[in-house]
């Protein structure tokens, strides 16, 4: 990172305050194993440093004490990956600890959010890919980034095998609760009883043998849409899709425009879209928010190209909404083409509506308050090693209500087209983190 604005100056390990019982092993599910080539990266931005207030004189001591207490509840986070008797990955819960990096950022947080691109934001979550022998390798890394203005960003990186986006978010939220002396709202659960949805979520382990190929010219843009804008869009589709969600209307806005950018690549009369829905949503009470692991359902939607490109917003919105609703009808994560790779060659959309308004009106990621009343001002998500036609992530915004943040990952030339699309610009999105990954 020579010459960059982020300077990492220390590395240490934090272990749980109480040792894990000897011999404890956590077997990763088939779906967990299918995520082996992907990583999760999250950045929580705070206006001030919550670790400066505490019983100890240094930030790092206050941080380590609360994190150690948290890790008592998450033994698989401190463990190390190893191969089980049948060759699959499992976690040996051995108190090896979590890597903590400390860094300084040579700018204010406001300036960073205005000027940093997606590639530079990666410096807030420095990651080391899994080596051939992971017995000494930490699958979880936390980076504490101090800004010149006194703000702080917590960067979390982990393997997708261990956790999905919701699980990783809940880890930081639980840490905030421990640090502020609050009980855990969603204590972690590592095993679920067999159920129809667990069968639906299972992906054959053979799909893990696929190594994703990520194009070199991938770029990212993040756009924030206000609550009033989303409310207006929902009113426009009310007659055709009365139960539409912000996810539905935003995907209906972006999908046809992305397809037009990719049109020369299409030799079919149908367009396909992969939609990732979390099983922790209301339709699956057997998968609670505290479940730590992967709980994604993959839905593949096919729409006639003519209907997609010439149909109105309401018609496309209804296509998307009706298909997402099918997850409640025990739909399997298959599309007739063999084992599914979750972040596949298709355009993929991640639905994070289940995290909106989940706690006292605040989305789960914005409820991670290490100090009372001081919630994150922004939360950024990234999935590593995504291949194919691109990725759209629709998530709640700090504004609350119907406001949403959309992160789009596409080839550079397509991102350029999306950023100047008149229909999108008319919604006056606040664009941040635009640029190469």
């Amino acid at each position: 990172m020579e010459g960059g604005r982020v300077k990492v100056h220390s590395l240490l390990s934090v272990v749980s305050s109480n040792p894990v019982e000897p011999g404890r092993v956590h077997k990763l599910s088939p779906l967990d194993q299918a995520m082996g080539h992907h990583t999760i990266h999250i950045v929580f931005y705070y206006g001030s440093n919550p670790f400066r207030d505490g019983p100890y004189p240094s930030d790092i001591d206050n941080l380590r004490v609360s994190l150690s207490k948290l890790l008592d509840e998450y033994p698989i986070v401190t463990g190390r990956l190893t191969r089980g008797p049948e060759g699959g990955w499992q976690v040996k819960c051995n108190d090896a600890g979590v890597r903590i990096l400390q860094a300084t950022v040579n700018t204010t947080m406001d300036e960073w959010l205005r000027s940093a691109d997606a590639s530079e934001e990666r410096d807030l979550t420095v990651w080391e890919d899994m080596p051939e022998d992971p017995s000494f390798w930490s699958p979880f890394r936390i980076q504490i980034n101090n800004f010149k203005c006194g703000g702080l960003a917590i960067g979390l990186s982990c393997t997708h095998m261990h956790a999905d986006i919701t699980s990783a978010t809940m880890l930081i939220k639980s840490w905030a609760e421990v640090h502020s002396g609050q009980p855990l709202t969603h204590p972690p659960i590592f095993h679920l009883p067999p159920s129809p949805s667990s069968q639906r979520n299972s992906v054959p382990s053979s799909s893990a043998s696929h190594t994703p190929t990520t194009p070199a010219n991938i770029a990212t843009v993040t756009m924030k849409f206000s609550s009033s804008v989303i409310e207006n869009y929902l009113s426009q589709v009310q007659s055709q899709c009365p139960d539409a969600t912000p996810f539905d209307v935003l995907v209906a806005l972006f999908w046809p425009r992305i397809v037009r950018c990719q049109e020369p690549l299409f030799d079919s009369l149908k367009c396909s879209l992969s939609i990732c829905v979390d099983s922790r949503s209301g339709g699956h009470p057997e998968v609670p928010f505290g479940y730590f692991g992967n709980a994604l359902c993959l839905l593949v939607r096919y729409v006639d190209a003519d209907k997609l490109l010439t149909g109105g917003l309401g018609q496309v919105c209804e296509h998307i909404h009706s298909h997402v609703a099918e997850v409640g009808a025990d739909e399997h994560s298959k599309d007739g083409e063999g084992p599914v790779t979750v972040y596949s060659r298709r355009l993929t959309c991640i639905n994070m509506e289940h995290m909106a308004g989940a706690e006292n009106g605040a989305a789960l990621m914005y409820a991670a308050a290490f100090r009372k009343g001081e919630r994150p001002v922004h939360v950024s998500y990234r999935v590593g090693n995504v291949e194919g036609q691109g990725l759209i992530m629709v998530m709640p915004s700090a504004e609350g209500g119907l406001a949403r943040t959309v992160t789009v990952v596409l080839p550079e030339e397509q991102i350029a087209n999306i950023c100047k699309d008149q229909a999108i610009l008319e919604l006056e999105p606040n664009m941040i983190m635009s640029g190469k990954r």
Side-chain angles (χ1 to χ4, degrees), residues 82-369:
T82 184
R83 291 288 186 179
E86 299 177 357
W89 287 111
Q90 61 183 23
V91 180
K92 183 179 180 181
C93 304
N94 57 5
D95 291 318
V98 174
R99 296 286 187 266
I100 303 292
L101 298 92
Q102 286 191 285
T104 55
V105 186
N106 189 27
T107 186
T108 65
M109 184 174 293
D110 285 345
E111 173 61 24
W112 174 269
L113 291 174
R114 283 196 302 267
S115 62
D117 60 23
S119 177
E120 193 173 22
E121 191 182 44
R122 292 177 62 181
D123 292 344
L124 302 181
T125 59
V126 175
W127 179 247
E128 177 185 289
D129 289 332
M130 183 172 69
E132 186 174 342
D133 178 10
S135 55
F136 296 100
W137 174 77
S138 176
F140 285 80
R141 289 185 170 227
I142 296 174
Q143 184 167 321
I144 306 299
N145 304 279
N146 289 282
F147 288 81
K148 288 177 65 176
C149 60
L152 179 138
I154 299 175
L156 170 67
S157 296
C158 65
T159 67
H160 211 320
M161 279 197 296
H162 282 72
D164 56 20
I165 287 174
T166 303
S167 295
T169 300
M170 295 305 299
L171 179 66
I172 298 298
K173 181 177 179 296
S174 294
W175 182 15
E177 289 171 341
V178 170
H179 187 82
S180 60
Q182 303 297 315
L184 297 187
T185 306
H186 302 285
I189 299 170
F190 302 107
H191 300 282
L192 295 174
S195 66
S197 68
S198 66
Q199 293 300 314
R200 176 181 56 250
N201 290 339
S202 66
V203 176
S205 58
S206 60
S207 66
S209 63
H210 170 74
T211 302
T213 303
T214 305
N217 65 334
I218 288 295
T220 300
V221 64
T222 296
M223 303 182 182
K224 291 188 173 185
F225 296 89
S226 69
S227 187
S228 60
V229 161
I230 300 300
E231 184 176 16
N232 180 55
Y233 249 53
L234 288 171
S235 67
Q236 292 182 35
V237 303
Q238 179 71 26
S239 60
Q240 291 176 282
C241 190
D243 298 321
T245 67
F247 173 83
D248 300 330
V249 294
L250 285 167
V251 174
L253 173 68
F254 279 89
W255 186 17
R257 285 160 176 79
I258 293 173
V259 168
R260 288 191 185 98
C261 294
Q262 301 172 335
E263 198 168 358
L265 303 177
F266 281 83
D267 56 5
S268 170
L269 295 178
K270 287 188 177 291
C271 300
S272 62
L273 180 73
S274 296
I275 302 176
C276 287
V277 179
D278 197 291
S279 293
R280 299 174 185 87
S281 56
H284 301 288
E286 73 276 11
V287 186
F289 274 101
Y291 176 64
F292 194 83
N294 284 280
L296 297 176
C297 290
L298 179 67
L299 315 171
V300 181
R301 180 62 170 164
Y302 294 92
V303 175
D304 291 340
D306 182 62
K307 290 182 179 179
L308 179 66
L309 297 176
T310 62
L313 180 70
Q315 183 180 3
V316 179
C317 185
E318 172 58 26
H319 282 308
I320 295 166
H321 181 80
S322 61
H323 195 58
V324 171
E326 292 174 10
V327 72
D330 196 33
E331 176 161 323
H332 288 260
S333 299
K334 298 283 190 75
D335 62 356
E337 299 181 8
V340 170
T341 301
V342 172
Y343 306 105
S344 67
R345 68 186 184 278
R346 298 181 181 86
L347 179 66
T348 300
C349 296
I350 299 179
N351 184 340
M352 297 175 67
E353 289 297 305
H354 66 289
M355 301 178 76
E359 187 170 312
N360 297 324
L364 279 176
M365 66 280 278
Y366 293 102

